[in-house]
Amino acid sequence: MKENPLRSKRAEAAVTLPSFVWLALFFAVPAFIVLAFTFHGHTANGGVGEWSLSTWRELVDPDYPAIVWNTLRISFEVTLWCIILALPCAYAIARMNKRWRAIVAGSIMLPFWTSFVVRVFAWKTMLHPDGWLQTCYFSWLKVSDWLFDWLPGFMQRFLVWAGFASNAPLDAASSTILDSEAAVVLVSVYSFLPFAIMPIYTAAEKFDFSLLEAARDLGAKGFYAFRKIFVPGIRQGIVSAVLMVFIPAIGSYVIPQMLGGTNCVLIGNKIFMRAMQNRNIPHASALATLMAVSVLVPLGMAMYWKKRQNARTSRRLERETARMIVGRGGEA
Amino acid sequence: MKKSYFSSITLALVLAFLYVPILLVVAYGFVPNGVSMSYFDANGAFTGFTGKWYAQIFTGHYSVKSLMQSFWLSLTIAGLATLVSCVLGTTSALALHRWKDRLQSIHYALVYTPLIMPDILIGISLLMLFVAANVECGFWTILIAHVTFCVSYVAMTVLARLQDFDDRIVEAAYDLGAGPWYTFFHVELPILLPGIIAGGLLAFTLSIDDVVITSFVNGAGTNTFPTYVSSMTKHSRNLPSVFALSTLMLVFTCILAGLSKFISRKQPQKTKGK
């Protein structure tokens, strides 16, 4: 065993080096360059200026905080819808027999064999102002407007303040679904839903459904048993699903770019705009740093929460998340 | 045991939701009027189907020239990125599996982090690197970027395959006098091949589908299929050609997937066990 060349340091270096150097050079080093650029000013001709804190000071001033908040809010909305839809779906698939389970789980991932951009383009064509989805959207606006009037005043003010609702009166000409936030949420849910269903389904598959029967025997019925027995039993899967949707939603760029128009500009679009159109490299870097933080915070929180609960399940979550990420096909 | 109608109905609706855009992609490939993208003319009369967009693709019509160019570029980059990332990903997985020291924990972090980072951050940071190094963006920067995000996926897939790999086989090969290269090509590679192929397929799909990272590092005038499509406007002339080409790709991948399923189902009977 001692002279086994596979255990030698030289062999280790030789096998590790290619990928290590590649990823260090093209992943780690660029990350530090981004961080370094945030502490530079920018020059008028699109270059990077002297060392200074001006970039960070400028971030507070213009509309950046609003954009960061909008991105977080929309990602939250998308995640919520995905989980609400994924829970009953995962439950239904897990209750099927083995043959059907494989077929349905496969057919949930099948749409991902078409190009992501082409699918978003199909949505764009579908959301045309003369289309039936526009009619649905306007009716929905009217209903929600009516519901909004029923809410108590402080809630109305809170929803308007947080950006979930608006005080402006409805008018058909300006309420097109294309180039609206609703389109971005709808298509984001469409794109990320399978990544919410799969981890929840994986957890539900291992769930012991006789527990639900026992609960029913003891008098817990329908939704109560679902909420009190099923949901806690698959918590692991729900946490993975939230991460699988929330993180790509934060980094979302193509969907708001193609469907949000000027009404839904998220951090991703702003980064692209600053980097490619205005040539303000330090600002783009600072926004990218903000995005990295908003991704790492929920991830760190999930990890910490799991670690405190149980070190072993934490590793399983990590592994499972890795597996789910590896199993995905679309945009991150 | 009572079935839950609520969850079954939700599942049916969700499946419909997921498939409607796919059906539209297929349907838009046969639409006669490429500007209005509608099967009905101004009077509301049905206009029928057309195969002219498919004909344009197959005959290499001048109007689809840039579309086809971007498509072939996508295939080239995806192919090359798959090759390079398979090599790097496999060595990476071997190293991560065999050694468990400090170097490998840094290595693991390097491999794992790109998986959880949004694409746009990888794109912008690579752009910053190319800006800092004063590199002209184009074919090679796209290829570097694609390899960078594909390596992690290949490494993770091969690593999963290595989980149920019997390390004693390698030791046995050594005891019998085989050198490291011989052992790799005659013992490890054949066992790992299904994992490498799975990782490679994943890398290929991700690379051919990537728009975010590419749009940062492609430079002026170099378009892959996804960036070409995303830069099209709604009133572009050859919109139906894009949908026709996507339909062809969908059919092709379905056949490929069916074939691979068929082959992998056949195999266990032939080789018996494993």
Side-chain angles (χ1 to χ4, degrees):
Chain A
M1 239 11 209
K2 223 182 359 185
E3 60 262 350
N4 184 343
L6 281 182
R7 297 270 179 268
S8 77
K9 279 278 162 207
R10 251 195 33 218
E12 176 180 5
V15 181
T16 314
L17 228 53
S19 56
F20 193 92
V21 169
W22 185 285
L23 286 170
L25 189 59
F26 296 118
F27 182 73
V29 170
F32 285 112
I33 293 178
V34 168
L35 200 61
F37 275 168
T38 65
F39 295 104
H40 285 270
H42 69 276
T43 57
N45 57 5
V48 178
E50 298 286 303
W51 287 91
S52 88
L53 282 173
S54 64
T55 302
W56 285 108
R57 272 200 299 272
E58 279 159 23
L59 274 191
V60 192
D61 186 34
D63 47 353
Y64 291 132
I67 287 174
V68 173
W69 169 244
N70 270 342
T71 309
L72 289 173
R73 181 172 51 79
I74 288 175
S75 308
F76 175 75
E77 277 176 37
V78 170
T79 313
L80 195 69
W81 277 111
C82 282
I83 300 296
I84 290 176
L85 289 172
L87 274 174
C89 287
Y91 177 85
I93 303 173
R95 297 309 310 261
M96 290 171 174
N97 62 37
K98 221 174 163 197
R99 203 184 129 80
W100 274 101
R101 242 188 276 169
I103 292 173
V104 177
S107 59
I108 280 185
M109 294 313 286
L110 187 82
F112 289 78
W113 287 348
T114 334
S115 169
F116 168 72
V117 191
V118 173
R119 276 179 288 130
V120 177
F121 220 101
W123 272 106
K124 192 173 178 172
T125 317
M126 232 190 320
L127 296 172
H128 193 263
D130 300 328
W132 58 276
L133 276 167
Q134 172 63 31
T135 324
C136 294
Y137 174 65
F138 196 60
S139 322
W140 157 250
L141 279 185
K142 278 191 268 194
V143 172
S144 58
D145 204 41
W146 181 80
L147 285 172
F148 183 69
D149 284 339
W150 279 87
L151 288 175
F154 76 93
M155 273 179 91
Q156 289 188 356
R157 278 193 296 278
F158 172 75
L159 288 176
V160 170
W161 172 80
F164 285 101
S166 124
N167 263 332
L170 273 183
D171 92 275
S174 64
S175 313
T176 54
I177 182 161
L178 196 64
D179 295 342
S180 78
E181 207 181 288
V184 175
V185 173
L186 177 74
V187 178
S188 300
V189 171
Y190 165 79
S191 308
F192 303 141
L193 190 54
F195 306 120
I197 296 179
M198 289 326 268
I200 297 183
Y201 158 66
T202 319
E205 210 183 10
K206 290 182 218 124
F207 180 76
D208 183 2
F209 281 97
S210 58
L211 284 175
L212 277 181
E213 264 170 81
R216 199 155 299 159
D217 287 347
L218 294 168
K221 274 201 206 109
F223 187 65
Y224 184 84
F226 181 84
R227 192 165 57 95
K228 287 282 180 186
I229 315 283
F230 183 66
V231 172
I234 55 159
R235 202 170 37 201
Q236 210 77 31
I238 297 178
V239 173
S240 312
V242 167
L243 291 178
M244 292 286 300
V245 175
F246 191 75
I247 290 174
I250 291 258
S252 176
Y253 152 70
V254 177
I255 298 171
Q257 169 74 24
M258 286 174 78
L259 301 169
T262 49
N263 295 316
C264 187
V265 177
L266 304 186
I267 310 182
N269 306 91
K270 209 69 184 174
I271 292 177
F272 190 81
M273 227 184 273
R274 286 286 176 266
M276 308 303 281
Q277 285 154 19
N278 316 121
R279 266 321 212 196
N280 191 335
I281 302 284
H283 272 208
S285 307
L287 284 169
T289 312
L290 280 183
M291 187 193 269
V293 170
S294 26
V295 167
L296 290 173
V297 164
L299 202 72
M301 260 158 56
M303 295 283 180
Y304 176 75
W305 179 55
K306 285 287 129 195
K307 204 156 254 166
R308 236 185 32 180
Q309 242 190 358
N310 186 332
R312 251 184 69 219
T313 42
S314 150
R315 238 168 297 145
R316 202 171 68 207
L317 168 82
E318 199 182 303
R319 251 207 326 271
E320 217 134 70
T321 321
R323 220 187 48 181
M324 289 316 300
I325 294 175
V326 164
R328 82 189 170 168
E331 182 201 39
Chain B
M1 183 82 206
K2 209 180 75 185
K3 274 233 163 151
S4 158
Y5 287 108
F6 174 74
S7 60
S8 311
I9 292 167
T10 317
L11 179 65
L13 289 176
V14 162
L15 279 173
F17 177 54
L18 292 177
Y19 274 88
V20 165
I22 306 297
L23 294 179
L24 278 175
V25 167
V26 177
Y28 284 143
F30 296 99
V31 73
N33 187 340
V35 177
S36 74
M37 294 302 283
S38 170
Y39 276 105
F40 302 94
D41 61 18
N43 305 320
F46 184 65
T47 52
F49 300 97
T50 177
K52 68 175 170 188
W53 311 109
Y54 285 91
Q56 280 187 0
I57 289 172
F58 286 120
T59 55
H61 194 261
Y62 69 90
S63 66
V64 292
K65 205 171 152 236
S66 48
L67 169 70
M68 291 316 283
Q69 248 169 13
S70 69
F71 177 69
W72 292 120
L73 180 69
S74 269
L75 281 184
T76 314
I77 286 186
L80 288 175
T82 306
L83 269 179
V84 179
S85 61
C86 272
V87 174
L88 291 177
T90 308
T91 56
S92 160
L94 280 176
L96 285 172
H97 178 72
R98 192 166 294 147
W99 292 282
K100 304 263 181 270
D101 53 11
R102 217 192 161 96
L103 178 69
Q104 294 309 325
S105 59
I106 304 172
H107 188 199
Y108 184 75
L110 268 178
V111 174
Y112 187 72
T113 330
L115 294 176
I116 50 174
M117 277 294 148
D119 283 355
I120 191 160
L121 291 181
I122 300 177
I124 182 95
S125 57
L126 277 167
L127 175 71
M128 298 298 166
L129 176 76
F130 298 139
V131 166
N134 240 329
V135 175
E136 184 86 20
C137 283
F139 178 84
W140 293 103
T141 52
I142 301 179
L143 185 61
I144 288 174
H146 282 218
V147 171
T148 307
F149 72 81
C150 287
V151 167
S152 306
Y153 290 96
V154 179
M156 284 297 165
T157 322
V158 178
L159 202 56
R161 177 90 189 167
L162 276 166
Q163 302 277 311
D164 29 70
F165 180 82
D166 190 350
D167 294 309
R168 285 171 303 181
I169 299 174
V170 178
E171 272 151 30
Y174 272 95
D175 286 348
L176 293 169
W181 289 102
Y182 191 89
T183 315
F184 177 73
F185 282 108
H186 290 86
V187 179
E188 287 167 300
L189 193 63
I191 297 175
L192 291 180
L193 206 58
I196 298 172
I197 290 174
L201 279 176
L202 184 64
F204 190 86
T205 358
L206 288 170
S207 166
I208 210 160
D209 210 21
D210 176 76
V211 55
V212 181
I213 297 174
T214 313
S215 58
F216 275 97
V217 296
N218 63 354
T222 319
N223 265 326
T224 60
F225 177 68
T227 60
Y228 177 81
V229 174
S230 73
S231 68
M232 284 172 85
T233 59
K234 239 203 113 230
H235 298 290
S236 183
R237 285 265 155 203
N238 47 5
L239 214 47
S241 316
V242 170
F243 289 115
L245 187 59
S246 307
T247 311
L248 287 175
M249 282 161 76
L250 182 68
V251 171
F252 185 69
T253 27
C254 280
I255 293 173
L256 218 61
L259 268 179
S260 75
K261 197 117 204 161
F262 184 71
I263 291 167
S264 64
R265 193 178 295 165
K266 267 269 163 73
Q267 225 164 22
Q269 294 165 344
K270 257 193 253 164
T271 50
K272 285 222 166 128
K274 181 71 223 168

